[in-house]
Amino acid sequence: MREATDTANDPRRWGRGRVLRAIRQAGAIARVDIARQTGISAATVTALTAELLSEGLIERIHPEDRAPDAGRRGRPREALRLRGEARLVAGVKVSHRVITVLLVDFTGAEIGLHEAPRAEIASAPAVLADAIVAATTAACARHGRRLEDVSGICVGLAGQVDGARGHVHWSSALDRRNVDLAPALAARAPCPVFLENDANLVAKAEQLFGRGRGVDNFLVVTVQHGIGMGVILGGELHRGARGCSGELGHSKVVSDGALCQCGQRGCLEAYAGGYGLRMRAAEAGLKDMSVEDLRQAEAAGDPVAIEVLSEARQHFARVLANLVTVFDPELIVLAVEAEEGHPLCTPEVLEQVRQLSLSVDAPPTEIDVQFRDDRMWAEGATAYGIERVEALAVERRPLGQSA
Amino acid sequence: MREATDTANDPRRWGRGRVLRAIRQAGAIARVDIARQTGISAATVTALTAELLSEGLIERIHPEDRAPDAGRRGRPREALRLRGEARLVAGVKVSHRVITVLLVDFTGAEIGLHEAPRAEIASAPAVLADAIVAATTAACARHGRRLEDVSGICVGLAGQVDGARGHVHWSSALDRRNVDLAPALAARAPCPVFLENDANLVAKAEQLFGRGRGVDNFLVVTVQHGIGMGVILGGELHRGARGCSGELGHSKVVSDGALCQCGQRGCLEAYAGGYGLRMRAAEAGLKDMSVEDLRQAEAAGDPVAIEVLSEARQHFARVLANLVTVFDPELIVLAVEAEEGHPLCTPEVLEQVRQLSLSVDAPPTEIDVQFRDDRMWAEGATAYGIERVEALAVERRPLGQSA
DNA sequence: CCATTAATTTTGACACATAAACTAATTCTG
DNA sequence: CAGAATTAGTTTATGTGTCAAAATTAATGG
């Protein structure tokens, strides 16, 4: 039951945001096209872009009259793009043994990466907050910036994280449950700090910079040690009432099944997550196998590997198919932390998903497998950080604007 | 990939809609409270309500100074409410053998119900469109109105219905696939006609008039012959890319399981839908049992009924738990077409759902079982019809407004 | 009856958006 | 090569939506 005064959605600042988003999505775009795409009149686009130009958020480009422009009749269009130097954003990923900080500019272009080791896996809130800010400070120092130059820090955390409230129900990075981490971070940083579940951030990255650009309804499933999901519906990240949506790894695939890290039984992760696969293989006699080892064992004809992977694929495909049935998304991105392949993300599995999901005579949900390295988490954090910093830039009035 | 000129969301008519929605949600509310709840200034609320009053969409109430008002100091608040006579809306449900039309006023109050028999189960599009409009005309006639008085007709159809595009991928009510039914209806009716999946409409009814009032994120699961779902996220109905979201009955609960009506195997409906239960019971030797019969057989200790229902409960609970895990909604409404009880909607099943879903130290998803009669479908249609008619009323300018 | 209180309305000003007219920078055409 | 044609972008005049502050209204309390 949400009520009360939500002044947030100010209809007056609306246009600015639309224009800025159109420019970001297009990369470079002329005013006419902004008007056409957004439905805002050319007059207003001129006014708004003039404002954004004077604030330094965007900039003109004339030299490169890009190819498709050649041979057009009238006045040539003047493309606009975001001005990278306008803002500096830090994306932070807290892992077990390291804190990764990725510094990017307003366009999302990388400025530098920094990794700071962590002394312990589960920290006290104050210790973790200190470490995050210290790592960000160090990242800035290493790349010729100061922490004061940063316009926003976005922190991604595995676990049940309520990004809207800045609250951590549970995370392996903390030594206790129910921590209001956002205030602790805000107190230590000279700029806004945003907190979010790591899978949600990967979804945001896909939306802003990846396959999800311009797609209104899509899901991003992260496949690695655990299995997570970020849900983008109507162009918005859906967090759930408590911020705990998308815990796909803990959806139940069998009754009273294998024991999961979370303490419950029959979770997808317990069969198809990295640790689940290792566990099942170990139980069946294949000790100390990585996912890649298992894949090779299967290829070599090892019956245990074949059995374990086959079961995992079956569960994984069924869960993905049920996502299609329940969400009917345009697109599902499988963001896999692996170099080149993953035994669960094979053409056969995708075909199985198609067969198990309800089909109509219309283009089916596209499933896109993206193999990523471990930077993906910090990149996700920068994506959401940029979005939030952009939102602040949109709201902020031009203020003192004299000659 | 949605692009192009979507002029739809006009930020200027924003306030009108907010005010009207606040009045609808509250039933009766004073201007001060509208201002407080919406965040709109009192001055603007006065202006907007004056406009709505002069258009006859809302009306004043003074006589009943409701109890909590007594003994307050200053000028008494003047409550406002919707004016029922402002609009007439028809909600239509197409069933196998009958078309049900429910006429309601702008507040949702019932004006009259009418049922028209259908000659066939699966009709040609033109025949069905004719029948729907004829039934609506008859409903009007029977209750002293004319079809021309109706401001909007909302038609609920079981099947894969893309309400946004007015397209029916498949419905048992039609004798063919892929029908653009909305244009056929629009051509026959003197007012806007809206088309939607029936489960989505039940969700809309819960949002406007039921347990979902003021709840931003909730799911409505319909349990009867089949199992359907409507998804409300961020206060909006989520339809999916093709309008096929929420096909919960066809999520797969076991690999290569029981055959479903839809032709696939292992669907939830094949175990827990009304026809699925009958099938499973019949296979195990209990022929021709209704769901209610099965419930009584179970209570009487029949081992087959116990077995069949136990399996169904297990699957149903697991699917519901997975909804909690994936959506993290505030609320799930189980809308059950039954008089007093249903073997799948028992306290034990709800307890099982709680045990199978990820829990954090925050209020869990509430699950609310609502037993309804077969009017629920037509009521759902009126709910969405009213919302759409209201949206049109918000957009429409006051136009000629002289003395 | 008048002070007090609270709801509502009026007033004056400003921000945002637009249509229409205008200016600018090209290519095309004779 | 001069203008005609074409397309992009800007300026202007105007309307709409919103708000803060002041004014008005309708009660209660002494």
Side-chain angles (χ1 to χ4, degrees), chain B residues 285-370:
Chain B
L286 284 180
K287 310 279 183 196
D288 273 331
M289 303 279 281
S290 72
V291 173
E292 182 56 27
D293 292 341
L294 267 179
R295 187 160 79 119
Q296 287 171 10
E298 183 193 36
D302 181 301
V304 170
I306 290 175
E307 169 59 24
V308 167
L309 287 178
S310 152
E311 188 181 19
R313 284 195 190 101
Q314 203 169 84
H315 292 315
F316 188 55
R318 188 138 44 83
V319 166
L320 289 182
N322 288 348
L323 288 179
V324 172
T325 303
V326 161
F327 283 96
D328 183 28
E330 271 175 81
L331 167 72
I332 296 179
V333 176
L334 300 183
V336 189
E337 195 178 321
E339 301 224 337
E340 42 173 324
H342 190 285
L344 293 189
C345 302
T346 62
E348 296 74 41
V349 169
L350 303 190
E351 178 52 31
Q352 185 71 2
V353 171
R354 255 182 292 281
Q355 294 204 356
L356 290 177
S357 49
L358 206 74
S359 80
V360 295
D361 303 329
T365 296
E366 188 184 346
I367 302 184
D368 196 75
V369 183
Q370 304 254 349

Side-chain angles (χ1 to χ4, degrees), chain B residues 81-330:
Chain B
R81 70 172 165 214
L82 296 175
R83 189 165 151 271
E85 311 89 79
R87 295 287 188 278
L88 178 62
V89 173
V92 180
K93 162 66 181 181
V94 179
S95 307
H96 278 191
R97 313 193 175 287
V98 74
I99 293 178
T100 309
V101 181
L102 180 60
L103 292 176
V104 296
D105 73 9
F106 195 46
T107 69
E110 175 172 344
I111 287 171
L113 187 77
H114 176 74
E115 299 204 330
R118 288 182 71 197
E120 55 197 354
I121 289 177
S123 314
V127 173
L128 180 63
D130 281 336
I132 287 170
V133 175
T136 309
T137 310
C140 290
R142 229 175 88 176
H143 296 98
R145 315 291 174 115
R146 290 167 312 149
L147 188 60
E148 287 69 37
D149 299 331
V150 176
S151 298
I153 302 173
C154 179
V155 179
L157 226 51
Q160 278 94 55
V161 180
D162 186 339
R165 297 183 185 79
H167 182 84
V168 182
H169 295 296
W170 177 83
S171 170
S172 59
L174 286 169
D175 65 358
R176 65 201 73 172
R177 300 175 68 87
N178 305 317
V179 175
D180 278 318
L181 194 59
L185 289 164
R188 289 165 172 80
C191 63
V193 184
F194 313 108
L195 194 62
E196 191 55 74
N197 168 278
D198 53 359
N200 286 349
L201 293 178
V202 175
K204 271 301 191 188
E206 287 299 325
Q207 184 185 29
L208 264 76
F209 303 120
R211 277 290 280 103
R213 228 173 312 186
V215 181
D216 261 2
N217 298 295
F218 69 99
L219 309 174
V220 176
V221 175
T222 60
V223 180
Q224 37 131 23
H225 192 66
I227 293 177
M229 176 167 72
V231 177
I232 307 274
L233 295 178
E236 294 282 326
L237 178 65
H238 170 72
R239 290 193 171 94
R242 281 152 291 274
C244 301
S245 77
E247 287 291 343
L248 197 64
H250 302 290
S251 59
K252 304 296 176 286
V253 292
V254 289
S255 293
D256 206 29
L259 187 65
C260 176
Q261 283 188 323
C262 72
Q264 298 191 315
R265 292 191 165 275
C267 296
L268 173 64
E269 259 183 35
Y271 294 91
Y275 68 83
L277 285 170
R278 294 175 63 127
M279 284 286 243
R280 294 293 80 69
E283 276 173 8
L286 284 180
K287 310 279 183 196
D288 273 331
M289 303 279 281
S290 72
V291 173
E292 182 56 27
D293 292 341
L294 267 179
R295 187 160 79 119
Q296 287 171 10
E298 183 193 36
D302 181 301
V304 170
I306 290 175
E307 169 59 24
V308 167
L309 287 178
S310 152
E311 188 181 19
R313 284 195 190 101
Q314 203 169 84
H315 292 315
F316 188 55
R318 188 138 44 83
V319 166
L320 289 182
N322 288 348
L323 288 179
V324 172
T325 303
V326 161
F327 283 96
D328 183 28
E330 271 175 81

Side-chain angles (χ1 to χ4, degrees), chain A residues 119-143:
Chain A
E120 53 197 354
I121 289 177
S123 314
V127 173
L128 181 62
D130 281 336
I132 288 169
V133 175
T136 309
T137 310
C140 289
R142 228 174 90 175
H143 297 96

Side-chain angles (χ1 to χ4, degrees), chain A residues 12-20 23 31 34 42-60 80-81 83 86-87 106 390 392-401:
Chain A
R12 286 178 301 175
R13 283 262 164 287
W14 193 71
R16 265 169 79 89
R18 286 289 302 247
V19 168
L20 209 48
I23 296 173
R31 281 169 259 248
I34 298 175
T44 304
V45 170
T46 292
L48 293 175
T49 53
E51 208 177 276
L52 294 170
L53 280 165
S54 84
E55 290 169 49
L57 291 173
I58 61 174
E59 63 190 3
R60 286 174 242 259
L80 302 171
R81 69 173 166 214
R83 191 167 151 268
R87 295 287 187 278
F106 194 46
E390 181 178 298
L392 292 175
V394 167
E395 277 168 41
R396 191 104 45 217
R397 307 301 309 289
L399 29 109
Q401 190 184 328

Side-chain angles (χ1 to χ4, degrees), chain A residues 18 47 57 125 194 209 253 257 272 274 277 283 292 329 346 363 368 382 394:
Chain A
R18 286 289 302 247
L57 291 173
F194 314 108
F209 303 119
V253 293
L277 284 169
E283 277 173 8
E292 182 55 28
T346 62
D368 196 74
T382 65
V394 167

